[in-house]
Amino acid sequence: MRTRKLSQGAAAVAMAAALSMIILYQLPNGGNVTAAGMAPIILYSFLYGPKWGLLTSFVYALIQMLMGFYPPPAPGLWQFLLAALLDYIFAFGALGLAGAVGKPFGRWGPVIGTFAVIAARFVCHFLSGVLIWPAYAPEGTPAWAYSLTYNGSYLLAELVLTLAVVALLLRTGAFQRIRDGR
């Protein structure tokens, strides 16, 4: 069973990375709308729980960092570490908790879990925008307002696409078939 979980985790990371390279819309300073790139990690989290979900989402976070790390505008070790943690490790790592968050909600669990972890990802990026990237806010715009609109603009679209994929998988019974190994 452990080999199966590891191989399916690797497949989820590979699918998520491939889907995240299909960019439907890209913002100039990082952040983009993908072809539901988070869905494989979220699905895996529902199938195997938080322990395996967090491991897989951590690997996915490292892959995302390798694929497009934006160095912070202010040089320094603390800014670099904070950017790595907020924009990658915590933001993408939260995806591994979808199953744990959604499990108590029964049939609606996958939808609620998906919404919750993408909201958590938004909070991480929002905090990053306020703490690390305020120099990018237009003159006269508070950093919190800029971060809210900038990060909200692409994550809202990502949320809608990912929820649509999760709902489709629920409707077709894919969650159950994958869990049963069919």
Side-chain angles (χ1 to χ4, degrees):
M1 189 63 169
R2 182 181 174 150
T3 303
R4 179 181 175 159
K5 289 178 183 178
L6 285 171
S7 62
Q8 285 185 348
V13 169
M15 283 193 302
L19 289 170
S20 73
M21 287 191 268
I22 302 171
I23 297 171
L24 306 175
Y25 178 75
Q26 186 165 5
L27 290 159
N29 299 318
N32 48 48
V33 178
T34 67
M38 296 179 282
I41 304 300
I42 290 170
L43 173 62
Y44 183 85
S45 169
F46 275 99
L47 294 174
Y48 295 116
K51 177 181 143 186
W52 290 95
L54 284 170
L55 174 64
T56 302
S57 63
F58 176 72
V59 171
Y60 181 58
L62 295 177
I63 298 290
Q64 284 296 308
M65 197 178 332
L66 288 173
M67 289 172 51
F69 182 77
Y70 284 86
L77 180 62
W78 289 111
Q79 289 84 356
F80 179 83
L81 289 176
L82 198 56
L85 288 173
L86 285 174
D87 284 332
Y88 295 97
I89 304 301
F90 295 157
F92 290 101
L95 302 177
L97 295 173
V101 172
K103 188 176 182 178
F105 297 98
R107 182 170 184 250
W108 289 99
V111 172
I112 292 169
T114 299
F115 180 85
V117 297
I118 294 176
R121 181 178 167 200
F122 168 76
V123 169
C124 290
H125 290 305
F126 171 77
L127 289 172
S128 175
V130 171
L131 299 172
I132 301 165
W133 306 99
Y136 285 80
E139 189 174 329
T141 304
W144 68 265
Y146 180 67
S147 184
L148 181 74
T149 56
Y150 187 90
N151 292 302
S153 67
Y154 72 91
L155 280 172
L156 183 60
E158 277 283 310
L159 172 66
V160 170
L161 287 171
T162 306
L163 279 173
V165 168
V166 167
L168 180 65
L169 291 173
L170 271 176
R171 186 172 177 91
T172 62
F175 273 95
Q176 191 61 39
R177 283 196 303 279
I178 293 168
R179 183 183 308 256
D180 295 343
R182 295 184 272 156

